[in-house]
């Protein structure tokens, strides 16, 4: 019995120290950010309910809404930071059950980020606790997103 414990104890220690940063460190992007405010051409979007979170891990991006009933609604895409201070969100993905542009693979409408598209957002400010992004829509509107690191 003692020999079994000597074998199982190190294995248990290795399993309990799993990595949360899948495929490497992505710096300050990693984790969950609460979308605190959206402005359109400088005016606060008062209809936005402060209920959307953005999550970054490796190249996977999840836009998640938490409803008043605590339902958790995920939307999936990928992301990358380009060398010219741009966050690129890709919502063109699909799988065998959901086609590109379906709700599973599209941003929430209140963000004004296009469905079934790759969208560039300018990074105006970024540190480990605050992120400010700006999107110039095709119709000429300018949307600014204010995010706060949640965890």
């Amino acid at each position: 019995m003692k020999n079994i414990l000597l074998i199982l104890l190190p294995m248990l220690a290795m399993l309990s120290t799993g990595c949360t940063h899948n495929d490497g460190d992505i710096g300050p992007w990693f984790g969950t950010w609460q979308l605190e405010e959206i402005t359109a051409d400088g005016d606060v979007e008062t209809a936005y309910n402060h209920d959307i979170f953005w999550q970054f891990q490796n190249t996977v991006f999840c836009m998640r809404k938490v409803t008043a009933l605590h339902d958790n609604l995920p939307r999936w895409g990928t992301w990358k930071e380009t060398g010219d201070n741009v966050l690129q969100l890709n919502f063109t993905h699909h799988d065998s059950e959901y086609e590109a542009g379906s709700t599973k693979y599209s941003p929430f409408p209140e963000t004004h980020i296009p469905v079934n598209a790759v969208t560039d957002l300018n990074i105006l400010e970024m540190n480990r606790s605050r992120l400010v992004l700006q999107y110039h829509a095709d119709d000429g509107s300018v949307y600014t997103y204010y995010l706060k690191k949640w965890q």
Side-chain angles (χ1 to χ4, degrees):
M1 183 69 171
K2 184 177 177 182
N3 289 338
I4 292 174
L5 286 176
L6 290 174
I7 293 170
L8 290 178
L9 192 57
M11 289 174 64
L12 182 60
M14 287 182 354
L15 288 174
S16 67
T17 60
C19 179
T20 62
H21 291 246
N22 185 22
D23 289 335
D25 184 12
I26 59 172
W29 292 104
F30 181 79
T32 301
W33 297 79
Q34 182 176 10
L35 180 57
E36 292 190 309
E37 185 174 87
I38 303 170
T39 63
D41 298 323
D43 297 325
V44 174
E45 297 246 312
T46 56
Y48 172 60
N49 294 321
H50 312 281
D51 56 356
I52 295 176
F53 296 82
W54 293 16
Q55 297 175 303
F56 299 86
Q57 184 172 354
N58 192 6
T59 61
V60 176
F61 177 74
C62 181
M63 189 179 283
R64 190 174 299 274
K65 183 185 282 192
V66 179
T67 69
L69 298 174
H70 303 287
D71 289 328
N72 192 334
L73 309 172
R75 304 288 181 93
W76 298 99
T78 54
W79 73 279
K80 70 178 179 179
E81 181 181 3
T82 67
D84 49 354
N85 238 16
V86 170
L87 169 65
Q88 195 171 75
L89 297 180
N90 183 341
F91 281 103
T92 63
H93 303 287
H94 61 88
D95 60 35
S96 60
E97 191 174 335
Y98 297 94
E99 62 185 42
S102 66
T103 53
K104 182 176 181 177
Y105 295 109
S106 60
F108 290 103
E110 54 266 51
T111 65
H112 307 281
I113 295 171
V115 174
N116 202 16
V118 176
T119 304
D120 289 345
L121 297 107
N122 297 316
I123 303 167
L124 303 181
E125 180 183 339
M126 181 177 197
N127 58 48
R128 294 203 175 273
S129 61
R130 180 174 160 85
L131 178 60
V132 181
L133 304 167
Q134 196 167 70
Y135 165 56
H136 295 263
D138 289 342
D139 68 1
S141 299
V142 177
Y143 297 97
T144 307
Y145 308 94
Y146 299 87
L147 296 104
K148 180 180 174 187
K149 189 69 164 266
W150 195 66
Q151 60 176 172

